[in-house]
Amino acid sequence: MASKLKVGVVGSGGVTRAFHMPGWAAVPDCEVAAACDSHRETAEKLAGDFKIPSVHTDYRDLVADPAIDIVDVCTPNQLHTEIVIAALEAGKNVLCEKPLATTTADIHRIGEAAAKAKGILMVAQNQRFTPAAVAIKRFLEERDLGEVYYARIHATRRNWMPARPGFIDPALSGGGPCMDIGVHALDLGLWLMNFPKAVRVSGRVHTNFAKGWDIPGGWGEWDRDLVGVEDFASGFIHFENGATMVLEASWLHHQKESQDFSAQIFGKNGSIHWPSGEYASVFNRALVDATVLPASGLQPSHTEEILAFAKAVRGSDPSPVPYTDSLKVIGILEGIYESSKQNREIALA
Ligand SMILES: NC(=O)c1ccc[n+]([C@@H]2O[C@H](COP(=O)([O-])OP(=O)(O)OC[C@H]3O[C@@H](n4cnc5c(N)ncnc54)[C@H](O)[C@@H]3O)[C@@H](O)[C@H]2O)c1
């Protein structure tokens, strides 16, 4: 076997520790060789716990290390762009947590760097690698829903308000539940729909509860003064082909469900619901329900995502989740914010 590919993680916090480290451990020909965090103790703790030999507090030092083949970007959202571009310009392969960036302008900058880069860039949309999503995508490859005319996208939580600054301080997060979890469900829905072109967006964002004390957060208290993002958003999206979509995203919301993470796609031949796999259709004027069962034999979604990325790096395959997909997802989310700000429908470029 060729020598192992060396990975440097930038951002040594929650997602790195809980999901990316187990993911890298599952790839036989990769090893995490460097940990970076602007908070030295966080990087040192990760390095100590996972036997990572090198520690940095400035991502530029990690990116400049010629021994590093892969940079795994797990910092708060607003720092992704500069780190991804620096890593691509240094010739690295890059895996970046969602959202790739919080504006289409930044994604265009990333795209320019990616076009000139020798490494590949993948966006870590792990929901695509869940057993339910894998099975539904396979099903739709063979069972056409017909003309898709509508989609219902939910990423709504009742009282799961993130407490860490990286999520609630707009300078770090670039948005609330839209950017945090809306990005997951919207990416999943658009991917199942084969990314139709969105042309107009109308939306509204609210900060209803996050600055107050009415709803107790399931993850503990957060700094009310730091909150500068929405806690609820809704959007109505028009596609060029005439289809429409409703999107809802929340961290705090009076709903019975603790969490509703779902995408339901309606076509003239049938509808499909993720993640339940529920399929509804009609045959010979008989109403038919069926269920697409989750794919078997898969590892946790972040691990499957990292395995797909490593395979693409080794095999020079195209990126399993290219930045061009994020451009479409973030274009819609950006449209929701802009529509809310301007109090009118927004035409997308
Ligand atoms: N796909 C998923 O399931 C999932 C889950 C959680 C978070 N995320 C994403 O992962 C990213 C990180 O989230 P998290 O939960 O790990 O947050 P976190 O706050 O736990 O960790 C972020 C870390 O980045 C460090 N950091 C901040 N600025 C830095 C810089 N300039 N250089 C290096 N390190 C820096 C912080 O000190 C912190 O330790 C976010 O983009 C988030 O949206 C994805």
Side-chain angles (χ1 to χ4, degrees), residues 91-307:
K92 313 300 184 192
N93 298 284
V94 181
L95 177 66
C96 180
E97 258 307 337
K98 45 53 63 175
L100 174 61
T102 59
T103 65
T104 50
D106 275 358
I107 299 181
H108 281 300
R109 286 176 56 215
I110 289 172
E112 280 168 27
K116 291 185 221 144
K118 77 173 172 37
I120 67 163
L121 166 64
M122 173 179 173
V123 188
Q125 295 290 165
N126 67 291
Q127 294 296 333
R128 295 194 195 185
F129 298 87
T130 54
V134 168
I136 291 169
K137 187 73 174 168
R138 281 182 197 159
F139 176 75
L140 293 181
E141 277 163 16
E142 290 297 322
R143 175 67 61 159
D144 190 355
L145 294 180
E147 183 189 330
V148 170
Y149 56 89
Y150 182 61
R152 196 185 280 153
I153 307 291
H154 288 170
T156 58
R157 289 178 170 161
R158 182 175 190 169
N159 69 330
W160 299 103
M161 173 81 190
R164 295 196 291 279
F167 293 85
I168 61 178
D169 176 355
L172 292 174
S173 68
C178 262
M179 285 296 165
D180 180 28
I181 50 179
V183 73
H184 275 305
L186 178 58
D187 176 81
L188 206 288
L190 290 173
W191 178 63
L192 293 179
M193 294 166 76
N194 296 320
F195 281 95
K197 185 174 158 51
V199 288
R200 298 193 313 279
V201 177
S202 180
R204 177 70 84 189
V205 301
H206 306 255
T207 309
N208 293 318
F209 307 106
K211 288 197 147 310
W213 299 86
D214 290 347
I215 303 184
W219 285 319
E221 294 306 339
W222 61 93
D223 181 348
R224 268 67 180 172
D225 293 336
L226 202 55
V227 174
V229 295
E230 83 281 1
D231 56 24
F232 177 82
S234 61
F236 190 80
I237 298 110
H238 292 265
F239 295 92
E240 194 174 49
N241 61 11
T244 56
M245 171 187 278
V246 160
L247 170 82
E248 293 175 20
S250 76
W251 283 333
L252 298 169
H253 186 40
H254 290 313
Q255 65 178 30
K256 278 193 343 194
E257 305 88 351
S258 175
Q259 171 171 289
D260 176 5
F261 239 59
S262 60
Q264 192 162 11
I265 318 289
F266 298 84
K268 289 191 176 169
N269 294 345
S271 76
I272 192 83
H273 180 276
W274 169 81
S276 69
E278 285 165 6
Y279 171 73
S281 186
V282 63
F283 285 98
N284 197 24
R285 294 178 45 79
L287 300 181
V288 173
D289 285 345
T291 306
V292 179
L293 299 179
S296 52
L298 296 179
Q299 302 198 53
S301 60
H302 292 87
T303 299
E304 290 293 335
E305 158 199 288
I306 285 173
L307 284 164

Side-chain angles (χ1 to χ4, degrees), residues 10-16 19 36-39 42 57 59 74-77 79-80 82-83 97-99 124 126 164 166-167 179-180 184 302:
V10 183
S12 305
V15 78
T16 306
F19 300 117
C36 173
D37 201 286
S38 49
H39 188 243
T42 304
T57 53
Y59 74 86
C74 297
T75 58
N77 306 341
L79 303 159
H80 292 177
E82 65 180 52
I83 300 170
E97 258 307 337
K98 45 53 63 175
N126 67 291
R164 295 196 291 279
F167 293 85
M179 285 296 165
D180 180 28
H184 275 305
H302 292 87

Side-chain angles (χ1 to χ4, degrees), residues 309-324:
F309 174 71
K311 184 167 172 279
V313 170
R314 275 289 189 212
S316 306
D317 293 346
S319 169
V321 183
Y323 76 87
T324 45

